Amino acid sequence: MEEADSCRRAALEAVADVEPPRLHEYLDSILDRASMVPAVLTLESAAAMRTEGRVLEDADEPHRDGESEPDRNRTQAVSSDRDPARITTHAAGVQLIYEGLRLTRSLAHDEPWTATDAEASDADLGILAADILVARGFYLLARTDAADKAVRTVQSFGRDQTRREDLESGAETSAGTAVGIDGGDPASTDANLERDVLELAVRTGAVAVGETPSPRLHAVVAEFAADVGTSFPPVADCLTDLHARARELSLEDSTTDRATSATDP
């Protein structure tokens, strides 16, 4: 899938300068075998939220009479964000954050530091790689309106993993803590990461084209998140239907907007 390949290349480029070679190869291996669902969903969300009639003004077009300098600067900034290559970079940022958090989750559950020295050494490399992936993902999203959502995603992940440890140890049950939306199941708690990352993808894609994700687009993604659990399948296995449904929703929203405008006083 061309979109997945483009996002993978952008993610690999974001970590291309990492050294030493062993760490660089480790990062490449993670991204080479990653499902690019979060990144491609970012692109699909951007496409879905481009509603008919909201055509981007070319940055080189003469300014409208009376347009202030701040307005011109804002137009040019939005123009840059709507550039396809720029949106692909943002999509890669979402993917990098997910891969870093997913790797952190895996290492936390397996506890490789209690095994052999070789396994512990690999785990040390893995933790370093996870930190780099998340940091580079933040860097790619730093100047977007999705940056706050990225921060909340990481914060939520930290709370969930702490809570998961409490669930497994029985501390939460004995303390009488509320079970929350996942029903107190460690596996469901883990799956919050995939749900949150999909929400981040939708947010990132929408704001890249100057829009806010529609409630119906959120509903489609929530249904999708419930199906994937704690891992994403290959893009080709799951996003074809999501692509069609997202486009259908965008057309419905566009029709609704036009109908509403026609009846406004």
Side-chain angles (χ1 to χ4, degrees), residues 162-196:
T162 298
R163 184 166 179 271
R164 188 188 193 282
E165 292 180 1
D166 291 341
L167 286 168
E168 289 191 321
S169 67
E172 183 162 334
T173 303
S174 62
T177 307
V179 295
I181 62 172
D182 52 38
D185 175 38
S188 297
T189 300
D190 280 343
N192 288 342
L193 171 60
E194 279 67 27
R195 183 201 67 209
D196 290 343

Short mmCIF file of all heavy atoms in Angstrom, two decimals, residues 162-196:
data_model
loop_
_atom_site.label_atom_id
_atom_site.label_comp_id
_atom_site.label_asym_id
_atom_site.label_seq_id
_atom_site.Cartn_x
_atom_site.Cartn_y
_atom_site.Cartn_z
N THR A 162 0.54 1.72 35.28
CA THR A 162 0.60 1.67 36.75
C THR A 162 -0.63 0.95 37.30
O THR A 162 -0.52 0.10 38.20
CB THR A 162 0.66 3.10 37.32
OG1 THR A 162 1.85 3.73 36.86
CG2 THR A 162 0.66 3.07 38.84
N ARG A 163 -1.76 1.26 36.73
CA ARG A 163 -3.00 0.62 37.18
C ARG A 163 -2.99 -0.87 36.85
O ARG A 163 -3.49 -1.69 37.62
CB ARG A 163 -4.18 1.29 36.49
CG ARG A 163 -5.54 0.77 36.94
CD ARG A 163 -6.66 1.69 36.49
NE ARG A 163 -7.92 1.14 36.92
CZ ARG A 163 -8.64 0.27 36.19
NH1 ARG A 163 -8.20 -0.12 35.03
NH2 ARG A 163 -9.79 -0.19 36.65
N ARG A 164 -2.41 -1.22 35.73
CA ARG A 164 -2.33 -2.64 35.35
C ARG A 164 -1.53 -3.42 36.38
O ARG A 164 -1.90 -4.54 36.74
CB ARG A 164 -1.70 -2.77 33.96
CG ARG A 164 -1.73 -4.18 33.40
CD ARG A 164 -0.92 -4.24 32.12
NE ARG A 164 -1.16 -5.46 31.37
CZ ARG A 164 -0.63 -6.65 31.66
NH1 ARG A 164 0.20 -6.76 32.70
NH2 ARG A 164 -0.90 -7.71 30.93
N GLU A 165 -0.43 -2.85 36.84
CA GLU A 165 0.37 -3.52 37.87
C GLU A 165 -0.44 -3.71 39.13
O GLU A 165 -0.36 -4.76 39.79
CB GLU A 165 1.62 -2.69 38.16
CG GLU A 165 2.62 -2.65 37.02
CD GLU A 165 3.84 -1.81 37.36
OE1 GLU A 165 3.89 -1.27 38.50
OE2 GLU A 165 4.73 -1.66 36.50
N ASP A 166 -1.25 -2.71 39.48
CA ASP A 166 -2.10 -2.83 40.67
C ASP A 166 -3.14 -3.92 40.49
O ASP A 166 -3.44 -4.68 41.42
CB ASP A 166 -2.79 -1.49 40.95
CG ASP A 166 -1.83 -0.42 41.41
OD1 ASP A 166 -0.71 -0.77 41.86
OD2 ASP A 166 -2.17 0.77 41.34
N LEU A 167 -3.70 -4.01 39.28
CA LEU A 167 -4.70 -5.04 39.01
C LEU A 167 -4.09 -6.43 39.14
O LEU A 167 -4.70 -7.35 39.71
CB LEU A 167 -5.29 -4.85 37.61
CG LEU A 167 -6.27 -3.69 37.42
CD1 LEU A 167 -6.54 -3.46 35.94
CD2 LEU A 167 -7.57 -3.97 38.16
N GLU A 168 -2.89 -6.61 38.59
CA GLU A 168 -2.26 -7.93 38.63
C GLU A 168 -1.84 -8.31 40.04
O GLU A 168 -1.87 -9.49 40.40
CB GLU A 168 -1.04 -7.94 37.70
CG GLU A 168 -1.41 -7.90 36.23
CD GLU A 168 -0.22 -8.19 35.34
OE1 GLU A 168 0.88 -7.71 35.67
OE2 GLU A 168 -0.40 -8.90 34.34
N SER A 169 -1.47 -7.33 40.84
CA SER A 169 -1.04 -7.63 42.20
C SER A 169 -2.21 -7.72 43.18
O SER A 169 -2.04 -8.18 44.30
CB SER A 169 -0.07 -6.54 42.69
OG SER A 169 -0.75 -5.30 42.83
N GLY A 170 -3.39 -7.28 42.71
CA GLY A 170 -4.56 -7.29 43.58
C GLY A 170 -4.67 -6.07 44.45
O GLY A 170 -5.60 -5.95 45.25
N ALA A 171 -3.73 -5.14 44.31
CA ALA A 171 -3.74 -3.95 45.16
C ALA A 171 -4.96 -3.09 44.90
O ALA A 171 -5.56 -2.54 45.83
CB ALA A 171 -2.47 -3.13 44.93
N GLU A 172 -5.36 -3.00 43.63
CA GLU A 172 -6.50 -2.14 43.32
C GLU A 172 -7.79 -2.72 43.87
O GLU A 172 -8.62 -2.02 44.41
CB GLU A 172 -6.61 -1.94 41.81
CG GLU A 172 -7.73 -1.00 41.41
CD GLU A 172 -7.59 -0.49 40.00
OE1 GLU A 172 -6.45 -0.43 39.50
OE2 GLU A 172 -8.61 -0.13 39.40
N THR A 173 -7.93 -4.04 43.74
CA THR A 173 -9.15 -4.67 44.25
C THR A 173 -9.25 -4.53 45.75
O THR A 173 -10.29 -4.20 46.32
CB THR A 173 -9.18 -6.16 43.86
OG1 THR A 173 -9.09 -6.28 42.45
CG2 THR A 173 -10.44 -6.83 44.37
N SER A 174 -8.12 -4.78 46.44
CA SER A 174 -8.15 -4.72 47.89
C SER A 174 -8.38 -3.31 48.40
O SER A 174 -8.93 -3.10 49.46
CB SER A 174 -6.82 -5.25 48.47
OG SER A 174 -5.73 -4.45 48.03
N ALA A 175 -7.96 -2.33 47.57
CA ALA A 175 -8.14 -0.94 47.98
C ALA A 175 -9.53 -0.42 47.64
O ALA A 175 -9.89 0.69 48.01
CB ALA A 175 -7.10 -0.06 47.30
N GLY A 176 -10.29 -1.24 46.91
CA GLY A 176 -11.65 -0.84 46.57
C GLY A 176 -11.71 0.22 45.50
O GLY A 176 -12.66 0.98 45.40
N THR A 177 -10.68 0.31 44.66
CA THR A 177 -10.65 1.31 43.61
C THR A 177 -11.66 0.97 42.52
O THR A 177 -11.86 -0.18 42.18
CB THR A 177 -9.24 1.37 42.99
OG1 THR A 177 -8.29 1.54 44.04
CG2 THR A 177 -9.13 2.51 42.00
N ALA A 178 -12.26 2.01 41.95
CA ALA A 178 -13.22 1.79 40.88
C ALA A 178 -12.55 1.11 39.69
O ALA A 178 -11.39 1.38 39.37
CB ALA A 178 -13.82 3.13 40.43
N VAL A 179 -13.29 0.22 39.03
CA VAL A 179 -12.69 -0.57 37.96
C VAL A 179 -12.47 0.23 36.69
O VAL A 179 -11.60 -0.08 35.89
CB VAL A 179 -13.56 -1.81 37.63
CG1 VAL A 179 -13.59 -2.75 38.81
CG2 VAL A 179 -14.96 -1.42 37.21
N GLY A 180 -13.23 1.28 36.45
CA GLY A 180 -13.00 2.11 35.27
C GLY A 180 -13.61 1.52 34.02
O GLY A 180 -14.31 0.51 34.04
N ILE A 181 -13.31 2.13 32.87
CA ILE A 181 -13.98 1.76 31.63
C ILE A 181 -13.53 0.41 31.11
O ILE A 181 -14.21 -0.20 30.29
CB ILE A 181 -13.74 2.83 30.55
CG1 ILE A 181 -12.25 2.95 30.23
CG2 ILE A 181 -14.30 4.17 30.95
CD1 ILE A 181 -11.97 3.84 29.04
N ASP A 182 -12.39 -0.10 31.56
CA ASP A 182 -11.93 -1.38 31.04
C ASP A 182 -12.40 -2.56 31.88
O ASP A 182 -12.05 -3.70 31.61
CB ASP A 182 -10.40 -1.39 30.95
CG ASP A 182 -9.75 -0.98 32.27
OD1 ASP A 182 -10.29 -1.36 33.33
OD2 ASP A 182 -8.74 -0.27 32.24
N GLY A 183 -13.22 -2.29 32.91
CA GLY A 183 -13.77 -3.36 33.72
C GLY A 183 -12.76 -4.04 34.63
O GLY A 183 -13.03 -5.09 35.18
N GLY A 184 -11.59 -3.47 34.80
CA GLY A 184 -10.61 -4.04 35.71
C GLY A 184 -9.83 -5.20 35.11
O GLY A 184 -9.21 -5.97 35.84
N ASP A 185 -9.83 -5.35 33.80
CA ASP A 185 -9.13 -6.43 33.13
C ASP A 185 -7.79 -5.92 32.61
O ASP A 185 -7.76 -4.95 31.84
CB ASP A 185 -9.98 -6.95 31.97
CG ASP A 185 -9.24 -8.00 31.15
OD1 ASP A 185 -8.52 -8.81 31.75
OD2 ASP A 185 -9.39 -7.98 29.92
N PRO A 186 -6.66 -6.55 32.99
CA PRO A 186 -5.35 -6.06 32.52
C PRO A 186 -5.24 -5.98 31.00
O PRO A 186 -4.66 -5.04 30.46
CB PRO A 186 -4.37 -7.08 33.11
CG PRO A 186 -5.05 -7.58 34.33
CD PRO A 186 -6.51 -7.63 33.97
N ALA A 187 -5.77 -6.98 30.28
CA ALA A 187 -5.68 -6.96 28.82
C ALA A 187 -6.45 -5.78 28.24
O ALA A 187 -6.00 -5.13 27.30
CB ALA A 187 -6.21 -8.26 28.25
N SER A 188 -7.61 -5.49 28.81
CA SER A 188 -8.39 -4.34 28.35
C SER A 188 -7.68 -3.03 28.67
O SER A 188 -7.73 -2.08 27.90
CB SER A 188 -9.78 -4.35 28.99
OG SER A 188 -10.51 -5.49 28.60
N THR A 189 -7.02 -3.01 29.81
CA THR A 189 -6.24 -1.83 30.17
C THR A 189 -5.13 -1.60 29.15
O THR A 189 -4.87 -0.47 28.72
CB THR A 189 -5.64 -1.98 31.58
OG1 THR A 189 -6.71 -2.16 32.52
CG2 THR A 189 -4.84 -0.75 31.97
N ASP A 190 -4.47 -2.67 28.74
CA ASP A 190 -3.42 -2.56 27.71
C ASP A 190 -3.99 -2.01 26.41
O ASP A 190 -3.35 -1.21 25.72
CB ASP A 190 -2.79 -3.93 27.45
CG ASP A 190 -1.75 -4.30 28.49
OD1 ASP A 190 -1.28 -3.39 29.22
OD2 ASP A 190 -1.39 -5.48 28.57
N ALA A 191 -5.19 -2.45 26.05
CA ALA A 191 -5.79 -2.05 24.78
C ALA A 191 -6.15 -0.57 24.74
O ALA A 191 -6.42 -0.03 23.65
CB ALA A 191 -7.03 -2.89 24.49
N ASN A 192 -6.13 0.10 25.89
CA ASN A 192 -6.37 1.54 25.89
C ASN A 192 -5.32 2.27 25.05
O ASN A 192 -5.60 3.33 24.49
CB ASN A 192 -6.34 2.09 27.32
CG ASN A 192 -7.56 1.68 28.12
OD1 ASN A 192 -8.58 1.28 27.57
ND2 ASN A 192 -7.46 1.76 29.44
N LEU A 193 -4.11 1.71 24.97
CA LEU A 193 -3.07 2.35 24.17
C LEU A 193 -3.49 2.42 22.71
O LEU A 193 -3.38 3.48 22.06
CB LEU A 193 -1.75 1.59 24.30
CG LEU A 193 -0.63 2.04 23.35
CD1 LEU A 193 -0.29 3.51 23.56
CD2 LEU A 193 0.61 1.16 23.51
N GLU A 194 -3.94 1.31 22.16
CA GLU A 194 -4.35 1.30 20.75
C GLU A 194 -5.51 2.26 20.52
O GLU A 194 -5.53 3.00 19.52
CB GLU A 194 -4.72 -0.12 20.32
CG GLU A 194 -3.55 -1.02 19.97
CD GLU A 194 -2.66 -1.37 21.17
OE1 GLU A 194 -3.17 -1.36 22.31
OE2 GLU A 194 -1.47 -1.64 20.98
N ARG A 195 -6.46 2.27 21.43
CA ARG A 195 -7.59 3.20 21.28
C ARG A 195 -7.12 4.65 21.31
O ARG A 195 -7.50 5.47 20.47
CB ARG A 195 -8.59 2.97 22.42
CG ARG A 195 -9.87 3.83 22.32
CD ARG A 195 -10.54 3.96 23.68
NE ARG A 195 -9.70 4.72 24.59
CZ ARG A 195 -9.70 4.56 25.91
NH1 ARG A 195 -10.46 3.63 26.46
NH2 ARG A 195 -8.92 5.31 26.67
N ASP A 196 -6.26 4.98 22.27
CA ASP A 196 -5.78 6.35 22.39
C ASP A 196 -4.95 6.78 21.18
O ASP A 196 -5.02 7.93 20.73
CB ASP A 196 -4.95 6.52 23.67
CG ASP A 196 -5.80 6.44 24.93
OD1 ASP A 196 -7.04 6.58 24.84
OD2 ASP A 196 -5.21 6.25 26.02
#
